[in-house]
Amino acid sequence: MTLQQPALPATAVATRPARRRDRARLFQEIGMLAPAVALLTIFLAVPFLLSFWTAMTNQPLVPRPTPVRFIGLTNFLRIFKDDLFWTSLWNVSRFTFWILPVQCGLAFASALLLHQKLPLRNFFRGLFFLPAITSMVVVCVIWGTLFQYPTGPFNQVIGFLSGGRIQPIDWLGDPNWAMFSIVLLSAWQAYGFQMIVYLAGLQGIPDELYDAARIDGANAFQRFWHVTMPSLRPTHVFVLVITTIQAFKLYTQVAILTQGGPRSSTETVVHYMVRTGFEEQKLGYASAVSVILFLIVLVIALVQRQLLRRFDV
Amino acid sequence: MASVSMDQVRKQYGAVPVIHDISMNIEDGEFVTLVGPSGCGKSTLLRMLAGLEDISGGEIRIGGRLVNDVAPKERDIAMVFQSYALYPHMTVAENMGFALKLKGQDRATIEKSVREAADILALGPLLDRLPKQLSGGQRQRVAMGRATVRQPQVYLFDEPLSNLDAKLRVTMRAEIKDLHQRLKTTTVYVTHDQIEAMTMADRIVVMRGGKVEQIGKPLELYDRPANTFVANFIGSPAMNLFEGAIVDGRFVTDGGAALPMPEGYQGATAAVYGIRPEHLTIADNGVPATVVVVEPTGSETHVLAKLGPADVNLVLRDRVEFQPGQTVMVAPDPKRIHLFTSQGLRAN
């Protein structure tokens, strides 16, 4: 009598080692991802979720004998009634409104200039980028000196050029000038990054498009308008959105130069958040401000995503 | 339509010359192909003709008018680029009508011209699409359409089929030739593909190192190459070239094979013997060669063999069943033999 061994299905035989291979690969991938996931979780996700939770409590900065209470949306409701919050939001909106044309315009103009085949082009690219790698604190100290009232270099130059007809300006002490002064120094410090992005965008435009436009009869301005500008649409969107997000996070310049003054004219959302959290020690309240700021930035990022998708040519 | 002439045209970057005193005349309505290996200067010459590159010396005339210092848009030319260079943010119709828009023509005229060009190239259904929504072949046709809309005096094509797959290339080759036959516009076409050059052109200009090696009709170049470079470049598989010397009325290769001389040849300067693969036959009176590889293509059989130390290619009309290592007797057709001097110039 012969015993018939039940034959394994061919596919089962073939897939067993394959499955083992897949599993080994999966473990390998998890192993490689784990450090990054762990670090992001500890330093980003957990604090982020904690801030959401803290925003719904009356948590102080320094623990008190009374227990921390869950207060729901009370902090948010208080914020919406807080004039200083609305002032700070209005101020960053003003700052954003000014910084966008100044910083992005400066970056775009510099990129166009440094894209030309000029002598010492690489040297000038480095030079133009220098402020971007200089610490904001250092920049603030230098510009603080330039802005000095009434005898700082800016005022001296203006006085000299106007023959004394224009009176010295209190750049950082006059509520009408303070935010504008911060716009100027912020744009100067940060435009290098946007310039590099624009340069990359310009270098990505194929030369043949310009050749085709020349043959089609386009002059220099028409080539700029019909080839350069449309080809840079995604770059423009990216730069504008990144600059807007950075603008909404304005803090260092204000903290060093004006501390939100004069008369709250340079108070910003982040500065207000730090002040309420660390000076007034209302951590729950400050967390609620941070949550609102996060939502604003999130909306901007989503708008960017949509626009980029639309301009993806 | 217009004739194109170049007289002693030169181009140099700093002290480095890249185009050396090239002269040629292209007749009105003619289709001329500039062909040569990469870096030979054919695209540079085309760009000089287009006005996209300055010339360092000489004269270029289009329709008899000196255009050395004339801007590209005023040369009345249209160019099709290798990458098509379609404006990515414009629809097909906008791409095609862009030159007319820049000229300030009204919308109705532009639409009419675009529609006419679209009809010629069967682009009607694609007019509202963006370039990214088109296949490679469609983009190519749009690029041709853009050139056609302007009704230029001269078409310039810069390797327009290089980015297409082999099958599409054959189709588009026929379309471009058909378009030229219908419009009869003077055309200068750059390619590195000698098959494209052979199949499309009225005349071919073979270039190497910024110089013209030979100008002639495709079959002239094929049948009577002026030198070993042209002999080797035109034709696929390439012509077999053997170095050697004439000894007792026969050409003895460096490998020792004694080959018959062409009928009526009296000279004694030949140092290179050329024979095209299809002009070799298997015959008892031939010289022995050892088969290395046999490639049946269906319509013919390609055989790579060794004639002494040298490779020899054969293209046989018959279906043969040779085995690698087998010795076959190879005989050149005496009427189709090419002889060249030691400098590589034609000797017979």
Side-chain angles (χ1 to χ4, degrees), chain A residues 30-52:
Chain A
I30 290 172
M32 286 182 181
L33 280 172
V37 170
L39 287 172
L40 284 172
T41 307
I42 295 166
F43 293 107
L44 212 71
V46 170
F48 179 70
L49 292 173
L50 271 178
S51 75
F52 263 97

Side-chain angles (χ1 to χ4, degrees), chain B residues 6-11 20-24 56-59:
Chain B
M6 295 185 222
D7 186 20
Q8 301 284 307
V9 171
R10 201 170 69 247
K11 172 79 186 175
H20 304 261
D21 299 326
I22 286 181
S23 298
M24 70 175 85
S56 309
E59 288 185 349

Side-chain angles (χ1 to χ4, degrees), chain B residues 219-230:
Chain B
L219 292 181
E220 276 175 18
L221 263 61
Y222 191 80
D223 292 337
R224 287 191 63 78
N227 52 46
T228 48
F229 176 77
V230 178

Side-chain angles (χ1 to χ4, degrees), chain A residues 206 208-219 222 225-227 230-231 233 309-313, chain B residues 47 50-52 72-73 77-79 81-83 85-90 98-99 101-102 132 146 150:
Chain A
E208 283 192 343
L209 280 185
Y210 290 107
D211 288 343
R214 282 175 72 189
I215 286 178
D216 276 341
N219 59 30
Q222 286 167 326
W225 191 250
H226 291 291
V227 178
S231 301
R233 266 183 210 157
R309 206 176 281 173
R310 202 168 133 198
F311 292 138
D312 177 27
V313 285
Chain B
R47 290 173 61 80
L52 297 173
K73 64 175 179 177
I77 48 155
M79 190 158 169
F81 296 86
Q82 182 176 352
S83 65
L86 299 177
Y87 308 114
H89 53 282
M90 293 185 197
F98 186 57
K101 186 179 163 191
L102 290 177
K132 70 175 179 183
R146 182 169 66 176
R150 302 175 50 200

Side-chain angles (χ1 to χ4, degrees), chain B residues 148-187:
Chain B
T148 312
V149 165
R150 302 175 50 200
Q151 299 182 331
Q153 292 201 66
V154 182
Y155 282 122
L156 305 176
F157 288 87
D158 189 4
E159 307 215 24
L161 306 183
S162 299
N163 290 356
L164 302 180
D165 63 56
K167 201 170 176 182
L168 199 52
R169 213 178 296 162
V170 175
T171 313
M172 292 308 296
R173 213 160 68 191
E175 281 199 30
I176 293 175
K177 195 166 180 176
D178 177 48
L179 188 70
H180 177 253
Q181 283 165 357
R182 278 192 278 165
L183 302 177
K184 304 226 180 303
T185 307
T186 311
T187 301

